[in-house]
Amino acid sequence: MTISVIGTGYLGAVHAVCMADLGHTVIAVDVDEAKIEALSAGRTPLYEPGLDEMLQEQLATGRLTFTTDLAAVEPADVHFICVGTPQASGENRADLTYVYAAADALGPHLRPESLVVGKSTVPVATAERLRRRIAKAGGRKKSEVRLVWNPEFLREGFAIEDTVAPDRFVYGVAEPGSPESDADVALLDRVYARPLSTGTPRLVTDYPTAELVKVAANAFLATKISFINAMSEVCEAAGGDVLALAEAIGHDDRIGHKFLGAGVGFGGGCLPKDIRAFMARAGELGADQALTFLREVDAINLRRRARMVDLAREACGGTFKGRRVGVLGAAFKPNSDDIRDSPALDVAEMIKAAGAQVRVHDPRALHVARVQRPGPEYVDTIAEALEGAHVVLHLTEWQDYRDLDPASLASTVEAPVIIDGRNKLDPARWRAAGWTYRALGRPQV
Ligand code: UGA
């Protein structure tokens, strides 16, 4: 099939490459010329394991092209809308400017038999609005625009796997069960024929349900993380160990072990802004009470960052003035160079603002951090981050940091004190090498 992908950010770039890998001819379009130039040359504008290689492979087949000319999408049987929906500046709601712009631009180039598929994370009721906008821009009736809402559940770091072998598909259609919607479902099934052939569950719903599935899933994940971080706060007060607690409750398979990783909490371009946009939308719908708990989820999450700063200050003897702090990690999570709402960088900036000299290392994200968050000093080696440090903070759990040899590092720092903000280092190893090891939610030894 011929497919267009509108928007080549994180979601769109991965989706375009993966659709080509599924055997389709793909035309990917973006307004950002630099991005299109890089992608056409086989370079992705983000770090995602395996993506560059897969991009180059698919470019070589000749079936994958990138362009800034939206008119080029006209031959596509299916158009995927993959543009971003960031948090609106100074507000909780999502900014839909890019989604609306994509709809308006697509309208005049949409053939009557082609299907539009929305993948961006949007507030409930956006699908209906988009259908109307696309129709208006193309000079036709809303009922003549075929549209399915097909939310994306990919995780950064596992984006390829999550796209070509997802754990479920959700199709939100205009009128479930109608012949028109059944035809839309059949067309989208052809796009995903390969993953569907392996028995991947595929659920067909109405538009609002499909839109809500995405934000509900992210709200649940955020709640799970904040739940364990709330337990972490209680453990700190009571002298308990949140790691042992998580291990024990996770054996109940109704609870499970996943997403019970206590630490500095969640960041990134999705969970934080999605729970805020969800609250804002619920407010508009008059259902704000239903989601007030998400305010607490957000607050618990942000409190962990502040707690990390407090622990670091304590380790520095009560003041950051004249102290050096080494920070391991800048990305919001490992295997990504994404620094959006990164807990690591928030902590680093707060400590710098309080007077310390802060040196931040990250295996992949420094090039972005240097441009977008120029506050702290960024260093290319772990040794430079640690040199002369009064305390070292482990804030993004890259494998590189787990592989460190604490014994050989003790002599580079001013004081061998490490605070594990991700609970992923081995305390016994660090302590055996002479370090004072502290972690969030765990007893001090
Ligand atoms: C998240 C969801 O997991 C995806 O399913 C969803 O498709 C995506 O958002 C999206 O909306 O596009 P992602 O933002 O890539 O994916 O990252 P996660 O793996 O969910 O991690 C989010 C944050 O939570 C990270 O900062 C991570 O360090 C933190 N986290 C995760 C914890 O603090 N503890 C945990 O146990 C797990």
Side-chain angles (χ1 to χ4, degrees):
M1 295 174 81
T2 300
I3 280 170
S4 91
V5 174
I6 302 171
T8 61
Y10 202 88
L11 166 60
V14 173
H15 197 67
V17 174
C18 289
M19 291 303 103
D21 182 65
L22 292 185
H24 304 299
T25 297
V26 179
I27 309 151
V29 43
D30 202 292
V31 290
D32 184 335
E33 281 179 23
K35 218 181 256 179
I36 290 299
E37 208 174 290
L39 285 161
S40 305
R43 280 178 283 114
T44 50
L46 46 103
Y47 173 67
E48 176 65 34
L51 191 61
D52 271 4
E53 294 82 345
M54 201 166 168
L55 167 67
Q56 285 150 19
E57 223 172 81
Q58 294 308 321
L59 283 172
T61 65
R63 283 187 283 103
L64 173 61
T65 50
F66 293 92
T67 176
T68 51
D69 177 15
L70 202 115
V73 306
E74 212 152 303
D77 308 300
V78 177
H79 302 273
F80 283 99
I81 297 186
C82 294
V83 295
T85 52
Q87 187 171 340
S89 166
E91 291 179 68
N92 271 351
R93 68 178 177 86
D95 176 358
L96 295 179
T97 312
Y98 306 112
V99 178
Y100 289 150
D104 295 345
L106 176 61
H109 300 290
L110 183 66
R111 291 182 295 123
E113 67 278 19
S114 298
L115 177 67
V116 180
V117 180
K119 292 201 80 68
S120 308
T121 301
V122 293
V124 61
T126 304
E128 252 331 316
R129 262 186 228 156
L130 281 196
R131 208 169 165 219
R132 221 173 297 131
R133 272 187 98 118
I134 294 167
K136 195 169 165 220
R140 68 187 82 181
K141 287 197 245 142
K142 188 181 85 168
S143 58
E144 291 166 351
V145 172
R146 302 177 65 180
L147 182 137
V148 172
W149 207 263
N150 170 223
E152 183 55 65
F153 304 108
L154 64 80
R155 296 158 299 166
E156 298 192 13
F158 302 89
I160 295 173
E161 190 186 322
D162 287 349
T163 305
V164 298
D167 48 18
R168 80 290 207 188
F169 286 105
V170 175
Y171 298 179
V173 299
E175 273 178 75
S178 68
E180 292 79 10
S181 289
D182 286 350
D184 295 346
V185 168
L187 187 54
L188 192 52
D189 276 353
R190 283 177 55 206
V191 175
Y192 295 133
R194 195 169 89 194
L196 284 171
S197 72
T198 64
T200 309
R202 188 261 275 141
L203 293 95
V204 178
T205 70
D206 49 30
Y207 288 148
T209 308
E211 294 166 314
L212 285 169
V213 165
K214 170 64 196 243
V215 281
N218 276 0
F220 188 84
L221 294 171
T223 304
K224 215 174 168 191
I225 299 169
S226 276
F227 172 82
I228 201 64
N229 281 331
M231 295 306 109
S232 182
E233 287 186 20
V234 179
C235 281
E236 278 163 20
D241 182 343
V242 73
L243 245 62
L245 183 145
E247 164 74 15
I249 62 172
H251 282 296
D252 180 335
D253 64 10
R254 293 169 303 173
I255 296 174
H257 286 113
K258 290 181 181 163
F259 270 66
L260 285 185
V264 279
F266 58 81
C270 302
L271 300 192
K273 70 123 173 126
D274 286 355
I275 60 169
R276 292 170 197 153
F278 198 13
M279 284 185 272
R281 185 68 187 121
E284 288 164 7
L285 293 168
D288 43 339
Q289 266 192 332
L291 297 187
T292 44
F293 75 96
L294 288 178
R295 225 185 289 154
E296 202 47 45
V297 166
D298 201 4
I300 293 166
N301 192 51
L302 296 176
R303 272 207 303 273
R304 291 285 79 189
R305 301 179 191 188
R307 172 73 179 147
M308 192 70 203
V309 175
D310 288 344
L311 281 180
R313 187 186 291 105
E314 211 178 280
C316 284
T319 176
F320 284 124
K321 299 257 155 42
R323 300 288 193 271
R324 275 192 181 190
V325 178
V327 171
L328 299 177
F332 84 104
K333 69 175 197 181
N335 299 318
S336 167
D337 61 1
D338 195 339
I339 58 161
R340 285 176 292 173
D341 208 337
S342 164
L345 288 186
D346 267 11
V347 169
E349 283 176 353
M350 283 189 266
I351 293 177
K352 182 177 157 54
Q357 184 191 354
V358 182
R359 286 188 165 173
V360 182
H361 174 265
D362 191 280
R364 291 278 177 181
L366 294 182
H367 68 111
V368 200
R370 282 186 173 118
V371 177
Q372 293 176 13
R373 308 271 296 253
E377 187 182 342
Y378 294 104
V379 292
D380 295 319
T381 62
I382 296 173
E384 286 169 275
L386 265 53
E387 200 188 320
H390 294 85
V391 60
V392 177
L393 312 181
H394 174 238
L395 299 182
T396 313
E397 69 274 34
W398 287 93
Q399 186 63 43
D400 308 42
Y401 304 143
R402 271 183 258 179
D403 293 342
L404 285 174
D405 171 22
S408 67
L409 298 172
S411 58
T412 34
V413 292
E414 176 68 26
V417 182
I418 183 146
I419 308 178
D420 187 359
R422 290 294 181 180
N423 275 311
K424 286 285 169 20
L425 301 176
D426 178 355
R429 263 184 83 216
W430 285 78
R431 286 186 180 130
W435 286 72
T436 300
Y437 172 96
R438 289 206 64 184
L440 295 172
R442 306 198 75 186
Q444 197 175 350
V445 173

